[in-house]
């Protein structure tokens, strides 16, 4: 039995065909979701691939919220990280023409925002950290790339 924990976040998937509610699961450094009956898995949100097929999830928007503790004043405060990932069109080489990640941290009655092209989740979190009041630190999350 593995000691890795699984986190599950509720969210939305949107593309030209419409929107649907999804669940996104994280097990260590692996992500998975089911969209319109197809299982997707990958090490990063921008690298989700359909199981048993080739190609990346593309031409869509994924939106989800996750709890993210903030440590300040010797206490652990509850905060919510709202994530919006826009995945562009596939290129001939199989990569995406864009992966834009926007994060909004809702903490202490304020909203702190960071956006990055390329979808680097850690970079976006670092940008959020720099906006927090002195002494406030984002809680540790399992490493996941966008």
């Amino acid at each position: 039995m593995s000691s890795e924990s699984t986190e599950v976040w509720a969210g939305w998937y949107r593309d030209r065909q419409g929107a649907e509610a999804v669940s996104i699961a994280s097990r260590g450094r692996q992500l998975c979701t089911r969209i319109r009956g197809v299982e997707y898995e990958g090490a990063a949100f921008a690298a989700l691939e359909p199981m048993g097929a080739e190609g990346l999830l593309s031409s869509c928007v994924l939106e989800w919220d996750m709890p993210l503790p903030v440590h300040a004043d010797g206490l652990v405060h509850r905060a919510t990280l709202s994530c919006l990932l826009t995945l562009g069109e596939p290129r001939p080489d199989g990569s995406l023409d864009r992966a834009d990640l926007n994060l909004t941290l809702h903490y202490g009655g304020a909203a702190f925002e960071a956006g990055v092209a390329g979808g680097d989740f850690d970079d976006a979190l670092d940008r959020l950290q720099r906006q927090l009041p002195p002494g406030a630190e984002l809680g540790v999350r399992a490493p996941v790339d966008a």
Side-chain angles (χ1 to χ4, degrees):
M1 179 182 285
S2 171
S3 64
E4 287 184 358
S5 65
T6 299
E7 292 187 67
V8 179
W9 310 298
W12 285 95
Y13 168 84
R14 290 182 201 40
D15 65 10
R16 292 176 185 101
Q17 297 175 10
E20 93 172 44
V22 295
S23 293
I24 301 167
S26 169
R27 286 182 215 95
R29 294 195 66 85
Q30 196 67 16
L31 297 162
C32 60
T33 189
R34 176 187 286 267
I35 300 169
R36 297 195 177 109
V38 177
E39 295 284 337
Y40 290 85
E41 196 169 292
F45 289 101
L48 289 171
E49 298 181 85
M51 300 302 296
E54 291 196 23
L56 294 174
L57 187 60
S58 62
S59 310
C60 65
V61 173
L62 279 173
E63 189 172 4
W64 70 99
D65 289 338
M66 60 174 60
L68 183 65
V70 175
H71 301 272
D73 306 318
L75 300 171
V76 178
H77 302 269
R78 296 174 83 170
T80 300
L81 186 64
S82 295
C83 310
L84 177 67
L85 178 66
T86 302
L87 299 175
E89 303 297 321
R91 293 180 177 141
D93 68 0
S95 66
L96 299 177
D97 67 355
R98 71 184 181 128
D100 297 329
L101 177 65
N102 292 288
L103 301 181
T104 304
L105 179 70
H106 303 276
Y107 159 69
F112 302 90
E113 297 182 355
V116 293
D120 188 311
F121 203 83
D122 288 334
D123 185 32
L125 287 177
D126 287 343
R127 290 178 186 199
L128 286 176
Q129 177 62 56
R130 290 192 299 266
Q131 296 175 45
L132 293 178
E137 296 284 329
L138 293 175
V140 177
R141 295 217 49 81
V144 172
D145 297 321

